[in-house]
Amino acid sequence: MSLTEILTRDLNPPQKKAVETMDGPVLILAGAGSGKTRALTHRMAHIIASGLASTDEILCVTFTNKAAKEMEHRIFKILADLNVPVTRELWVNTFHSFCVRVLRQHIDLLDYKKPFTIYDSGDQLALIKRVMVALNINDKMFPSKNLQSRISNAKMLGLTPDNLRGGGSSQIKMDPKTLDVYSRYEEEMKRANAVDFDDLLLKTYELFRMYPAILEQYQNKFRYIMVDEYQDTNHIQYLLVQMLAKAHRNLCVVGDEDQSIYSWRGADISNILDFEKDFPEAVVIKLEENYRSSSNIVSAATKLIANNTQRKEKTLFTNNPEGDLIQIREERNEYDEARFVAKTIQSMISSGESNLNDYAIFYRTNAQSRVLEEQLRTIALPYRLIGGIRFYERAEVKDILSYLRLSQNFSDDMALKRIINVPARGIGKTTLEQIEQKANDSRISLFEATQLLINERHFNAGTTSKLRRFLDLIEDLAIQQKQFRLSEFYSIVLEKTEYVNILKKEDTPEAEARISNLEELDNAIAQFEKERGDEASLSNYLEELTLASDLDNADNNASAITMMTMHISKGLEYPYVFIIGCEENLFPSVRGEDESVDDIEEERRLAYVGMTRARQKLWMTHTKMRRVWGQEQMNPPSRFLREIPKEFTSFSSGALGVQAPRFMSNSRFGSQNNSYSDNNYSNNTNYDDYAQPSYDDDFSQTHQVGKSSGYSKGQRVRHPTFGVGAIFSTEGAGDTLKISVLFQDNTIKKFVAKYARLEKV
DNA sequence: CGTACCGACCTTTTT
DNA sequence: GGTCGGTACG
């Protein structure tokens, strides 16, 4: 059998074509679950095994670190099976990690020192705020978050302050104030020897523009280039790809415009839609057979996405069995919703056949995970949460990392600012303000400003000695850093800063948790050393860490339900999937007044992504009432539910015992008109509708709370001040029993039962 | 200077 | 309902 035959057996014709077409530009439009990764890895292995390029002459760009790791692993596996020896590294990267790699080599040409520091978006924001103070710009008039995103957008378009000034060739205008901030920000970044996420791409682009010889080196090196998730590339990424592919024109891009969900991050869907204009000779391959999901799921998702206008006409189909109907479930509120999910999983698990790892719960916003966690914990179902508050964003972790950063780069102002008084060493706000003032005026780093002020005898003796001690500590750490291995240095930092000692003295559960996080960081460092061996330097570690995400570190071995946002779910699959919170205003979420058709279409693509993750069974839930920012909201079911043809769905409700509020009466729930399409949504809700206990099924039984209290959900009560209402929920028991009451004006108030003079009526 | 409390803002989504 | 930044007080 020939090599090609071996690599293409078990593939369908378009997959085969993808593996066989190695030279020239190739556009692969890969529908969800169409065996894309399989085709790609085989294609890469084919190129290497047939000797067209060695491993290090191929550049493969993916969207997440996790995808990169996975792809690399699979390519190596295939090559090993073919007995092809691999001696050189394979360049499977994210755009950002690729750029780090390039900059690590050449950043000195851009007037930076090696090693450079990477600022994450938190550092970026902090620096923007500081620049605003220096420039006397009011945060109220120009919100710093706003400026941050404008600057970031400019960078993603490849625009520097110089480009934006002078009108130049650019049509994009930036208002003068923002431009001032942008310029000064850049200046400060350079002084701090730091680059931000966007810079990684922009600086690499600039490097290539300024030094054609270096560009040429990479152009020649990479005989083949492949970009995954091409629909999510932004302009600067597009420019980089075009540049790099210029010499050989062996560019293969893969994507699915129906899964483009990152436009808010600058992703430009036209990059994929216009690929054939950029490369008229491109071979276009469509992978349209879905191998992942049951046909009900595929049909439902296909019908849903057909409502979008910005897409290439294509048909996703499957030969898989029909499978179960999509379960659409209505619940009364988010607690019932979470309970429904938890109980459903529990009962399915207990009947055997499946295990916890088979289940995933998706939601639109991270905030939705909280209630879910509570419910899963109460019935003792293990879960793992991906995203949300990241490990590396925990305060104590950031603190220690700031020590590591500062000891490597004294100019790292954001790190210094964070830890100059952590743990507390008596250096207060006024002192720091004076240091910042000096730094701003003299355009020097905070570290240097501190030294200068000490030498100028600016401070009193007490402050001076505290500052002196801090500077000595950092200088000492800088020396230790060079002498010890990373893991040893880490212990030294913990010891010399007394960080852990001070936490231990606190003796609170919070402090305990922090200590254990720092232990976890210790483990992570040990792991890193094990993996990288001699290359486990501090700067490498900081680099990798800044670019790491939660998804990369998720522990998939433990048996647990996985919870994440739909955005993170892209590229993953699970036998059983729950999509919760399918309500208007939440999903699709509306972003203020400026909502556009484009926004809704992107939300719809997000729904499409979420749904197509499910292999066997999919639940989509919505609630009549939900608490958002502590406010009760009643939103109609998501339009996306309505857009799924009824023949693919099965509806059930855990809120039937509750008389449907008026706006529901015309909907699928109460009438012969069996669709979501005409909700007469009204806020004019009769609170009585919610006052009745529900008794329709297992999941929403009246629960009796507290042994002697006798308060139960739905019980009507009178409050001396607020009048008559109905008990909406309860928490705690005995003296700490708290009761939430829904009053006639549709507000909810929470009382401690012991003190509130509630009277049953 | 450190702490404790208050109110604004938050909720998209990530490298 | 939670977090973070600002303010007031000890």
Side-chain angles (χ1 to χ4, degrees), chain A residues 282-326:
Chain A
V283 175
V284 181
I285 299 168
K286 290 184 180 181
L287 304 182
E288 298 178 302
E289 177 166 4
N290 176 298
Y291 294 97
R292 180 187 294 151
S293 313
S294 73
S295 97
N296 274 332
I297 292 169
V298 171
S299 309
T302 310
K303 292 290 182 193
L304 174 89
I305 201 65
N307 288 291
N308 273 12
T309 56
Q310 289 193 32
R311 62 192 296 261
K312 296 190 176 207
E313 202 49 54
K314 66 176 182 311
T315 40
L316 191 67
F317 69 96
T318 187
N319 288 311
N320 287 342
E322 214 169 67
D324 288 335
L325 293 171
I326 292 166

Side-chain angles (χ1 to χ4, degrees), chain A residues 128 131-132 135 137-138 141-155 159-162 164-165 172-187:
Chain A
I128 287 172
V131 166
M132 287 170 67
L135 296 179
I137 294 173
N138 186 337
M141 305 251 297
F142 294 83
S144 49
K145 279 253 170 66
N146 209 316
L147 288 172
Q148 182 183 30
S149 78
R150 280 172 205 232
I151 291 171
S152 177
N153 284 336
K155 289 187 174 193
L159 299 170
T160 62
D162 281 345
L164 289 159
R165 226 172 336 250
I172 316 284
K173 292 265 183 297
M174 186 181 257
D175 70 278
K177 275 270 193 292
T178 311
L179 189 51
D180 285 348
V181 175
Y182 186 12
S183 298
R184 181 68 182 265
Y185 170 80
E186 286 297 290
E187 192 188 315

Side-chain angles (χ1 to χ4, degrees), chain A residues 703-712 730-739 753 760:
Chain A
H703 46 238
Q704 200 76 22
V705 187
K707 286 163 213 122
S708 56
S709 67
Y711 289 115
S712 62
T730 58
E731 62 184 85
D735 284 358
T736 61
L737 174 67
K738 293 192 191 80
I739 301 180
K760 292 182 200 169

Side-chain angles (χ1 to χ4, degrees), chain A residues 381-536:
Chain A
L381 282 180
Y383 61 85
R384 82 176 69 84
L385 200 120
I386 298 177
I389 323 121
R390 300 171 173 201
F391 177 70
Y392 295 114
E393 280 170 14
R394 309 250 164 91
E396 58 280 9
V397 176
K398 284 202 99 175
D399 288 344
I400 296 303
L401 293 178
S402 292
Y403 277 102
L404 301 187
R405 276 164 54 174
L406 194 58
S407 66
Q408 184 199 260
N409 174 10
F410 290 169
S411 308
D412 189 338
D413 286 357
M414 295 307 111
L416 183 140
K417 211 174 150 178
R418 184 173 184 97
I419 53 170
I420 190 165
N421 199 32
V422 177
R425 44 175 78 85
I427 301 170
K429 209 178 84 184
T430 358
T431 309
L432 186 58
E433 256 166 25
Q434 286 166 2
I435 294 170
E436 285 202 282
Q437 180 78 46
K438 183 76 176 177
N440 281 341
D441 291 350
S442 315
R443 309 256 165 152
I444 51 175
S445 69
L446 296 176
F447 194 95
E448 290 168 306
T450 310
Q451 283 178 321
L452 209 59
L453 289 172
I454 291 175
N455 291 341
E456 290 171 357
R457 305 194 182 282
H458 177 88
F459 300 110
N460 63 38
T463 308
T464 302
S465 87
K466 288 171 194 163
L467 287 171
R468 188 67 258 167
R469 267 212 301 274
F470 174 70
L471 295 182
D472 287 346
L473 170 67
I474 300 302
E475 279 168 349
D476 183 35
L477 290 180
I479 295 166
Q480 310 282 349
Q481 184 251 118
K482 294 199 179 93
Q483 291 172 350
F484 290 92
R485 300 169 42 152
L486 182 54
S487 54
E488 290 163 337
F489 178 57
Y490 178 75
S491 321
I492 292 172
V493 170
L494 291 188
E495 197 187 303
K496 296 221 172 194
T497 60
E498 296 211 69
Y499 199 96
V500 174
N501 272 342
I502 288 165
L503 281 178
K504 274 185 186 154
K505 275 188 205 131
E506 272 184 36
D507 199 29
T508 60
E510 289 80 23
E512 290 279 316
R514 293 185 172 181
I515 293 171
S516 88
N517 281 333
L518 291 175
E519 276 162 9
E520 206 176 322
L521 183 57
D522 197 13
N523 293 338
I525 288 174
Q527 180 64 28
F528 178 78
E529 272 183 345
K530 212 168 117 193
E531 276 170 20
R532 295 295 193 89
D534 292 343
E535 291 195 350

Side-chain angles (χ1 to χ4, degrees), chain A residues 475-686:
Chain A
E475 279 168 349
D476 183 35
L477 290 180
I479 295 166
Q480 310 282 349
Q481 184 251 118
K482 294 199 179 93
Q483 291 172 350
F484 290 92
R485 300 169 42 152
L486 182 54
S487 54
E488 290 163 337
F489 178 57
Y490 178 75
S491 321
I492 292 172
V493 170
L494 291 188
E495 197 187 303
K496 296 221 172 194
T497 60
E498 296 211 69
Y499 199 96
V500 174
N501 272 342
I502 288 165
L503 281 178
K504 274 185 186 154
K505 275 188 205 131
E506 272 184 36
D507 199 29
T508 60
E510 289 80 23
E512 290 279 316
R514 293 185 172 181
I515 293 171
S516 88
N517 281 333
L518 291 175
E519 276 162 9
E520 206 176 322
L521 183 57
D522 197 13
N523 293 338
I525 288 174
Q527 180 64 28
F528 178 78
E529 272 183 345
K530 212 168 117 193
E531 276 170 20
R532 295 295 193 89
D534 292 343
E535 291 195 350
S537 68
L538 174 59
S539 60
N540 284 349
Y541 183 63
L542 291 175
E543 241 167 43
E544 179 164 310
L545 198 117
T546 319
L547 296 178
S549 77
D550 247 26
L551 186 60
D552 309 326
N553 306 313
D555 171 17
N556 290 318
N557 300 319
S559 174
I561 300 163
T562 310
M563 295 168 35
M564 66 181 88
T565 62
M566 268 169 283
H567 278 91
I568 312 184
S569 78
K570 191 164 68 165
L572 306 176
E573 59 175 47
Y574 296 87
Y576 306 107
V577 169
F578 293 81
I579 298 178
I580 67 165
C582 299
E583 293 130 48
E584 286 293 304
N585 297 323
L586 177 61
F587 187 40
S589 98
V590 274
R591 191 105 172 96
E593 305 75 48
D594 54 340
E595 73 163 305
S596 67
V597 178
D598 286 4
D599 294 338
I600 293 293
E601 294 208 350
E602 179 143 323
E603 294 285 314
R604 191 176 284 112
R605 291 193 289 268
L606 193 54
Y608 178 77
V609 167
M611 291 171 72
T612 52
R613 302 306 98 199
R615 290 220 295 260
Q616 292 178 36
K617 193 158 179 173
L618 172 66
W619 289 261
M620 298 175 84
T621 65
H622 68 90
T623 66
K624 292 183 167 182
M625 194 195 278
R626 180 181 302 273
R627 197 170 197 151
V628 186
W629 312 331
Q631 280 275 303
E632 287 299 341
Q633 278 189 11
M634 302 186 59
N635 289 314
S638 171
R639 71 190 72 189
F640 301 148
L641 295 177
R642 179 171 78 216
E643 287 168 2
I644 301 170
K646 287 193 300 292
E647 69 239 54
F648 305 123
T649 65
S650 155
F651 174 79
S652 71
S653 175
L656 285 178
V658 181
Q659 191 191 329
R662 263 173 239 142
F663 76 87
M664 292 293 187
S665 61
N666 235 356
S667 75
R668 178 170 185 160
F669 316 104
S671 75
Q672 57 283 72
N673 185 346
N674 217 8
S675 90
Y676 288 102
S677 51
D678 36 15
N679 299 313
N680 294 326
Y681 178 57
S682 139
N683 247 334
N684 185 14
T685 310
N686 183 344

